[in-house]
Amino acid sequence: MLEGGWVLKLLVMSDTHGDAEVIKRVRDQHQNIDAIIHCGDSELPYDHPYLENIIKVRGNCDRDTRFPDEQVFEIGGLTVFVAHGHLLNVKSTTMNLYYRSKEVGADVAFFGHSHLLGAELVDQILFVNPGSLLKPRGIPDKSYAVVGFESSKWTVTGYTDKGKELFTKVFELEKINKKNQ
């Protein structure tokens, strides 16, 4: 079990646009993390040392073709979907992201591109955009998120690039009766 009582804890960032130092600073602020995720537009080489051991995808500003367009992986019994969002047109609609998340059987979907910090639970799938650590939109603060999961409950905490907490939202999954499906 990790600090805060969470069984699973993920650090999620996006849209750092060439600022390698902010990636390092955010990583250093959170030591007890199960996985670090970068949702694209790092604008760094795929093998940059600050991206080492980070699950990462390619954004529309990433020129290094070694970045995958999306990642699907399992951790702690959960299926995680990661995409930048530009190929799913998330600035116009999140429906494509929703459908792709359903296709891959995701429990949680992380995405960027719009630079808008936010989280919501739709049909038992948690969707999180950590905002931007360089050019925020919708709020004045550069941002990232820490996402925890334990016993049917997600907790999403948004932070500024300096580590100040912006919000914490809790999302409880519904108990599904298998007999009624």
Side-chain angles (χ1 to χ4, degrees):
M1 192 169 292
L2 298 165
E3 69 181 59
W6 297 109
V7 174
L8 179 67
K9 202 169 186 184
L10 307 171
L11 172 61
V12 188
M13 66 182 82
S14 190
D15 296 281
T16 50
H17 292 282
D19 187 347
E21 292 305 316
V22 76
I23 295 171
K24 181 180 184 327
R25 187 169 64 247
V26 167
R27 286 180 76 155
D28 290 349
Q29 289 171 359
H30 299 276
Q31 297 297 314
N32 296 321
I33 296 290
D34 292 298
I36 303 171
I37 298 162
H38 195 297
C39 299
D41 277 358
S42 69
E43 294 189 53
L44 299 174
Y46 181 83
D47 55 2
H48 190 283
Y50 292 172
L51 292 176
E52 187 175 341
N53 299 318
I54 290 183
I55 297 157
K56 50 198 175 274
V57 295
R58 186 176 186 190
N60 56 298
C61 295
D62 291 315
R63 298 297 164 234
D64 192 328
T65 57
R66 293 177 290 174
F67 287 99
D69 289 332
E70 62 182 41
Q71 295 249 28
V72 178
F73 64 96
E74 290 202 14
I75 186 168
L78 299 167
T79 301
V80 179
F81 175 60
V82 183
H84 183 59
H86 64 297
L87 298 176
L88 297 167
N89 208 23
V90 298
K91 283 186 180 179
S92 297
T93 179
T94 54
M95 288 306 294
N96 298 325
L97 177 69
Y98 168 79
Y99 290 134
R100 182 67 181 137
S101 298
K102 292 287 264 187
E103 283 177 352
V104 301
D107 295 295
V108 60
F110 298 118
F111 66 104
H113 190 52
S114 68
H115 297 209
L116 294 167
L117 173 64
E120 66 178 324
L121 187 67
V122 179
D123 290 341
Q124 302 289 83
I125 303 170
L126 180 68
F127 293 87
V128 177
N129 185 326
S132 172
L133 277 166
L134 188 69
K135 301 174 182 180
R137 292 190 185 123
I139 61 172
D141 298 299
K142 301 172 184 178
S143 64
Y144 66 94
V146 174
V147 179
F149 183 79
E150 182 186 28
S151 62
S152 300
K153 182 169 57 175
W154 290 102
T155 299
V156 179
T157 304
Y159 292 93
T160 70
D161 63 322
K162 306 290 190 222
K164 179 182 171 225
E165 185 176 319
L166 292 168
F167 67 82
T168 295
K169 292 183 179 180
V170 177
F171 301 91
E172 302 239 9
L173 298 177
E174 296 174 15
K175 303 280 189 245
I176 298 174
N177 184 346
K178 299 282 184 189
K179 292 180 185 177
N180 294 334
Q181 286 190 356

